[in-house]
Amino acid sequence: MRLAELSERSGVPIATIKYYLREGLLPAGHRVSATTADYDEGHLRRLRLVRALIQVGGLPVTAAREVLRHIDDDSLSLTMRLGAAMWALPGAPEPDLADDDVEAARAEVDRLLDSLGWQTAHDLRTISPPYRSLVVALATLRRLGYDWDSALLRPYAELMHQAAVLGIDIMESAPSESEKVESAVAGNVLLDPALQALYRLAQQEETVRRYGF
Amino acid sequence: MRLAELSERSGVPIATIKYYLREGLLPAGHRVSATTADYDEGHLRRLRLVRALIQVGGLPVTAAREVLRHIDDDSLSLTMRLGAAMWALPGAPEPDLADDDVEAARAEVDRLLDSLGWQTAHDLRTISPPYRSLVVALATLRRLGYDWDSALLRPYAELMHQAAVLGIDIMESAPSESEKVESAVAGNVLLDPALQALYRLAQQEETVRRYGF
């Protein structure tokens, strides 16, 4: 397809597509003449993913490029490609925290991972961004006077594990390894706001059931 | 306690506390002389909540003030106070979407709420920010070529309902109605990053279990 059709089918303006091409977020089309190039379904899929990362995930262009680089690195195993891409996604903001508070939260998170038997999360803890995010979130909760510990977090962790299993089952239905990784990354970025909204709807529902209006 | 102790116990710098006082995010202390005021445990709790909303939740001062106004409005029922405060929290960013895509997503979300029996979420749908966020998230997923529908969302919704039940059980342990609402709002703001981190850790764990490294 030509650039105009790629724009129409993706809903992304031509000027934005050209910008993504210049920034290396979208591979060049197949050149058919000095002035025109041809784009395929792979370009359309990639364009949608870039859009998801930037517009929904709020990633800066450099971070999006890093995520895509890992998705495209077929010298790595599926686990490593997915892990590297997910780790390049930005985490939550980090408030100022005292070292002691962070250490205490880290000990609770380690206790949680042990009790869950999440060996990989434990082995990778010194370099894992989601591990760091969890420690920071817990340290913040405790700093603010909420007495959360591994026992309180555990049922949440089990629910999120069930959610992750659903996500990976969906990922497995993608035909190729590249598409599996793409689907998992896009799913993560796009599912975060959906899960947050579902949580709030459920909370409202449950509040009304318990206390009335 | 004096301002210096409030600062020490909360970890919030004195200049920042003075700014929150000026902006009406923190009620004035009990005046003990022309130049000194006294602060109590309620001030400390409120300061921690303000900090959570602004530093972790990323709320602008005006939005934080709005959330606090609802928390403090004891003319309302618990459900209404909590609902109003939660609704004043900012939602996910809204990408550009065509009206048709939004309408199709809305129909799927309505189907989902019907199948779950979430009557309140359905009744309030025209004014509910989390309903809107869910519609937008689903419309975006579908616009990007991911064929998500109510059947695919339903197990996620059931997991988030279980998570919301956990949260409300924790809320119920707070001694007063004000503290219940405060705890639920702070919990929501602070739990979002923790759930996201747990989801990613679980995904990594599950990927390694299925595919190895």
Side-chain angles (χ1 to χ4, degrees):
Chain A
M1 74 189 95
R2 294 294 187 268
L3 192 58
E5 189 184 343
L6 182 65
S7 168
E8 169 135 359
R9 286 186 58 195
S10 63
V12 179
I14 289 181
T16 308
I17 299 179
K18 286 185 172 168
Y19 171 69
Y20 291 162
L21 286 164
R22 275 200 308 278
E23 290 291 330
L25 296 172
L26 192 66
H30 316 285
R31 201 144 283 293
V32 288
S33 80
T35 53
T36 43
D38 199 56
Y39 300 89
D40 58 27
E41 295 298 318
H43 286 97
L44 181 60
R45 222 173 50 234
R46 173 52 50 98
L47 185 53
R48 286 171 167 165
L49 177 62
V50 169
R51 207 59 173 166
L53 292 173
I54 292 178
Q55 260 204 340
V56 183
L59 266 70
V61 165
T62 46
R65 199 189 288 121
E66 179 80 4
V67 171
L68 296 172
R69 195 168 63 76
H70 296 304
I71 291 178
D72 291 334
D73 187 350
D74 57 15
S75 72
L76 300 174
S77 69
L78 177 63
T79 299
M80 294 298 285
R81 286 167 79 175
L82 182 56
M86 295 304 306
W87 283 16
L89 292 175
E94 286 212 12
D96 303 328
L97 289 164
D99 288 348
D100 284 357
D101 291 339
V102 173
E103 279 317 304
R106 192 187 304 281
E108 280 307 319
V109 170
D110 288 344
R111 214 165 286 137
L112 171 70
L113 297 180
D114 283 346
S115 83
L116 290 162
W118 289 8
Q119 189 58 44
T120 310
H122 190 264
D123 290 346
L124 299 176
R125 71 190 183 286
T126 54
I127 51 167
S128 158
Y131 175 89
R132 172 79 195 169
S133 297
L134 183 57
V135 167
V136 167
L138 184 60
T140 308
L141 269 162
R142 292 159 65 96
R143 186 75 194 83
L144 295 173
Y146 300 97
D147 193 23
W148 284 58
D149 60 12
S150 56
L152 214 56
L153 278 175
R154 174 143 185 197
Y156 286 102
E158 285 166 344
L159 291 173
M160 296 321 280
H161 184 229
Q162 291 180 56
V165 166
L166 291 172
I168 293 178
D169 286 344
I170 292 170
M171 176 186 90
E172 287 195 341
S173 67
S176 70
E177 197 158 295
S178 286
E179 284 170 77
K180 280 188 175 63
V181 180
E182 276 188 7
S183 137
V185 171
N188 262 280
V189 169
L190 296 168
L191 205 59
D192 281 342
L195 290 181
Q196 189 191 71
L198 284 169
Y199 183 88
R200 291 186 183 170
L201 286 171
Q203 186 181 53
Q204 170 188 289
E205 197 64 32
E206 187 65 22
T207 312
V208 172
R209 284 184 198 170
R210 291 199 196 185
Y211 314 108
F213 261 107
Chain B
M1 73 190 94
R2 294 295 187 267
L3 192 57
E5 189 184 342
L6 183 65
S7 167
E8 170 135 358
R9 285 186 59 195
S10 63
V12 180
I14 288 181
T16 308
I17 299 179
K18 286 185 172 168
Y19 171 69
Y20 292 161
L21 285 164
R22 275 199 309 277
E23 290 291 328
L25 296 172
L26 192 66
H30 316 285
R31 202 145 282 293
V32 287
S33 81
T35 53
T36 44
D38 199 57
Y39 301 89
D40 58 27
E41 294 299 318
H43 286 98
L44 180 60
R45 222 173 51 235
R46 173 53 50 98
L47 184 54
R48 285 171 168 165
L49 177 62
V50 169
R51 206 61 173 163
L53 292 173
I54 291 178
Q55 260 203 341
V56 184
L59 266 70
V61 166
T62 46
R65 200 188 287 121
E66 180 79 4
V67 171
L68 296 172
R69 194 168 63 77
H70 296 303
I71 290 179
D72 291 335
D73 187 351
D74 56 16
S75 71
L76 300 175
S77 69
L78 177 63
T79 299
M80 294 299 285
R81 285 167 81 174
L82 183 55
M86 295 305 305
W87 282 17
L89 293 176
E94 285 211 12
D96 303 328
L97 289 163
D99 289 348
D100 285 357
D101 291 340
V102 173
E103 279 316 305
R106 192 186 305 280
E108 280 306 320
V109 170
D110 288 344
R111 213 164 289 140
L112 172 70
L113 297 179
D114 283 347
S115 84
L116 290 162
W118 290 8
Q119 189 59 43
T120 310
H122 189 265
D123 290 347
L124 298 176
R125 70 190 184 287
T126 54
I127 51 166
S128 157
Y131 175 89
R132 172 79 195 167
S133 296
L134 184 57
V135 168
V136 167
L138 184 59
T140 309
L141 269 161
R142 292 159 66 95
R143 185 73 194 86
L144 295 172
Y146 300 97
D147 194 23
W148 283 58
D149 60 13
S150 56
L152 214 56
L153 278 176
R154 173 142 186 198
Y156 286 102
E158 286 166 344
L159 292 173
M160 296 321 282
H161 184 230
Q162 290 179 58
V165 166
L166 291 173
I168 294 178
D169 286 344
I170 293 170
M171 177 185 89
E172 288 196 340
S173 68
S176 70
E177 197 158 297
S178 287
E179 283 169 79
K180 281 189 175 61
V181 181
E182 276 188 9
S183 137
V185 171
N188 262 280
V189 169
L190 297 168
L191 204 60
D192 282 342
L195 290 181
Q196 188 191 73
L198 284 169
Y199 183 88
R200 291 187 182 169
L201 286 171
Q203 185 181 54
Q204 169 188 289
E205 197 65 31
E206 187 65 21
T207 313
V208 172
R209 284 184 197 170
R210 291 200 196 184
Y211 314 108
F213 262 107

